[in-house]
Amino acid sequence: MTTSRTRFLLAATIVALIVLAATAGVRSQTPRPMGIVDLLNVPRVADPELSPDGREVVYTRAESDWKSGKRILHIWRARIDGGQPVQLTSGAEGEAEPRWSPDGKTIAFAARRGDNELAQIYLLPDDGGEARPLTTHATAVSDIAWTPDG
């Protein structure tokens, strides 16, 4: 065998070994069936509410919180014409039932915050800022709805 041919075979062997080593990780990551933990880790999107002008939607997105052993819902907003969704709330206990005011300037939602053991209604300005409590009812509130005149 000539030296040039030996060099060629050696180079080809080295290249083949490099390619095999580089793809070994890919082959070891064979597809597997989705398990219950995988399913629980998939975020759940629900309760969409279209803004009065039809340009945006608010909705809840629930993610698994493995430390507390439950799903935590937060309120998100997205433009109908695309763009990145924006998380509007981040309370430790989560928030639910986002509802636009008739004029589209405020979003009402139910949440347990602070020392309150029961869900109350909070109002969040559409342009951002901190939500302020609207109710201090003796029982939990649910099924939030605005009157037509706000």
Side-chain angles (χ1 to χ4, degrees), residues 45-51 56-60 76 97-100:
V45 175
D47 205 4
E49 178 85 5
L50 192 61
S51 65
E56 296 180 303
V57 63
V58 291
Y59 57 92
T60 59
W76 289 67
E97 298 185 65
R99 301 292 181 261
W100 290 98

Side-chain angles (χ1 to χ4, degrees), residues 20-32:
L20 285 174
T23 60
V26 173
R27 281 193 219 144
S28 67
Q29 297 174 0
T30 58
R32 62 178 175 76

Side-chain angles (χ1 to χ4, degrees), residues 5-81:
R5 183 175 171 141
T6 305
R7 286 184 186 166
F8 173 77
L9 288 175
L10 182 60
T13 303
I14 291 172
V15 168
L17 289 174
I18 291 172
V19 168
L20 285 174
T23 60
V26 173
R27 281 193 219 144
S28 67
Q29 297 174 0
T30 58
R32 62 178 175 76
M34 184 178 227
I36 188 70
V37 172
D38 299 318
L39 183 61
L40 291 172
N41 279 328
V42 173
R44 303 287 195 281
V45 175
D47 205 4
E49 178 85 5
L50 192 61
S51 65
D53 65 7
R55 294 182 184 169
E56 296 180 303
V57 63
V58 291
Y59 57 92
T60 59
R61 178 178 165 165
E63 296 197 29
S64 297
D65 181 348
W66 291 101
K67 289 181 183 176
S68 68
K70 60 183 179 179
R71 288 188 166 276
I72 305 293
L73 284 84
H74 292 297
I75 298 172
W76 289 67
R77 176 176 56 201
R79 293 197 50 81
I80 296 300
D81 60 2

Side-chain angles (χ1 to χ4, degrees), residues 89 101 105-111 113 120-125 128-136 146 150:
T89 62
S101 63
K105 294 182 180 178
T106 306
I107 300 165
F109 62 90
R113 291 190 167 183
Q120 298 297 319
I121 299 174
Y122 289 81
L123 300 176
L124 180 68
E130 185 62 31
R132 63 180 173 85
L134 176 67
T135 62
T136 54
W146 290 87

